[in-house]
Amino acid sequence: MKKKKRSPLSMIVLLLCLAVAAFSAWKLYGYFRGYRDGEKEYEDLTQYVEETDAGQDSGKKGKKDKCPIQVDFASLSAINPDIVGWVYIEDTGVNYPVVQGEDNEYYLHHTFEGRENFPGAIFMDTTCSPDFSSDNSILFGHNLKTGEMFGALKKLYDTEYNAEADWTKYPDIWVVTPEASMEYRIFAAREISVEQDTDVYMVDFARAEEYLQWMQQQKAASLYETDTDISRPEPMITLSTCTSDSEDGRFVVQAIRTQVRGQ
């Protein structure tokens, strides 16, 4: 019996399939390698952050109002002078340096150390004051499936995404700068459209009355009611991350400053 010969066309198709499979495997390797490289970089940066007694046992008397971390900004500034602060939510994995670039594009695709990598960095909107004195300081971060960057926000605070989400378990956000340690209390969280809900990204207001009214509107639109007092025009922060539902979908967590301590 004669062996069947493969036609030249079938050989070409086979080679193309093998090439596509090899390319896909290479891309997949690069994808996970990128995740791991970014993760390791931020793990290494935590050597410049020391947990205080307040962070080790927040239930101790006199400890709960103290900042749970201390940050070595001299060393971090030597690595990247764009650093403006450090954001920390205890026991959640949100523990990152905050940078502010010349635009809102660079740190979407570059890490704190300037490496081109899709995890990017946690960065402040360019229109905000770098000392967090704006009425609304806006911080952006990617929603990574591994939970890195701001990937934990929906799991922690979005009750429509995670039925067990409970803001009262992690109500406080700490921001540390070279000059101060600031505690913020969450008052609202929800999914928005960047095209329809542009007011969420308002930074400063002409009058305190306008600012207070705007904050009440944000709180009223929240997924759930919080007992956070927003009756005074204290500065606040908005943490913003993308969602997988739509291209213009974002999940935002908003918190008002409750205390500030000098370094």
Side-chain angles (χ1 to χ4, degrees):
M1 182 181 294
K2 293 184 178 179
K3 293 183 179 181
K4 293 183 178 180
K5 294 183 178 180
R6 293 182 181 271
S7 69
L9 179 59
S10 65
M11 289 297 294
I12 292 173
V13 171
L14 176 62
L15 290 174
L16 285 174
C17 291
L18 291 173
V20 169
F23 179 75
S24 298
W26 176 77
K27 291 287 287 185
L28 188 63
Y29 170 78
Y31 182 76
F32 286 107
R33 179 63 183 270
Y35 262 127
R36 181 54 192 150
D37 288 348
E39 183 181 39
K40 186 177 186 307
E41 177 181 322
Y42 288 108
E43 285 177 355
D44 291 343
L45 288 173
T46 58
Q47 68 181 293
Y48 302 110
V49 179
E50 180 181 356
E51 188 177 68
T52 65
D53 290 341
Q56 294 167 3
D57 188 354
S58 59
K60 291 182 179 179
K61 185 177 180 181
K63 299 291 187 181
K64 62 181 181 179
D65 293 330
K66 294 183 179 179
C67 183
I69 59 171
Q70 293 179 339
V71 182
D72 179 1
F73 281 104
S75 297
L76 289 167
S77 295
I79 299 172
N80 186 351
D82 284 346
I83 188 168
V84 294
W86 192 281
V87 61
Y88 178 80
I89 307 177
E90 194 169 2
D91 297 329
T92 67
V94 178
N95 186 27
Y96 295 104
V98 179
V99 290
Q100 186 178 45
E102 295 180 357
D103 55 50
N104 286 341
E105 294 294 326
Y106 180 80
Y107 284 110
L108 276 173
H109 311 292
H110 291 81
T111 64
F112 177 80
E113 296 183 6
R115 296 186 175 92
E116 189 171 355
N117 198 328
F118 56 83
I122 304 300
F123 64 95
M124 175 185 280
D125 189 277
T126 57
T127 61
C128 298
S129 298
D131 61 356
F132 289 82
S133 63
S134 297
D135 290 333
N136 181 24
S137 296
I138 305 165
L139 306 185
F140 298 102
H142 283 304
N143 177 19
L144 300 184
K145 293 180 179 179
T146 57
E148 316 302 325
M149 311 313 287
F150 281 167
L153 294 184
K154 285 179 66 64
K155 181 180 179 180
L156 296 172
Y157 302 114
D158 187 350
T159 52
E160 292 184 350
Y161 175 78
N162 175 23
E164 297 181 358
D166 184 357
W167 78 276
T168 61
K169 292 180 180 178
Y170 311 98
D172 300 314
I173 302 171
W174 282 91
V175 172
V176 182
T177 71
E179 295 78 28
S181 299
M182 295 167 282
E183 183 180 26
Y184 297 79
R185 176 60 62 95
I186 293 170
F187 70 86
R190 63 181 168 123
E191 188 165 331
I192 65 164
S193 163
V194 292
E195 294 182 359
Q196 299 176 14
D197 302 299
T198 55
D199 66 310
V200 170
Y201 298 107
M202 293 283 290
V203 172
D204 285 303
F205 295 79
R207 295 184 303 165
E209 293 80 5
E210 293 177 357
Y211 178 42
L212 289 171
Q213 183 180 18
W214 175 85
M215 279 198 295
Q216 290 292 348
Q217 292 170 348
Q218 301 306 304
K219 188 175 183 179
S222 177
L223 281 170
Y224 37 79
E225 185 177 352
T226 66
D227 59 5
T228 305
D229 180 14
I230 57 171
S231 61
R232 295 179 300 168
E234 295 291 337
M236 59 166 284
I237 58 172
T238 294
L239 310 185
S240 176
T241 190
C242 57
T243 68
S244 58
D245 298 333
S246 62
E247 290 187 2
D248 78 328
R250 300 292 185 273
F251 185 73
V252 296
V253 176
Q254 298 169 301
I256 189 170
R257 195 170 73 186
T258 55
Q259 69 162 310
V260 54
R261 295 175 177 268
Q263 296 290 67

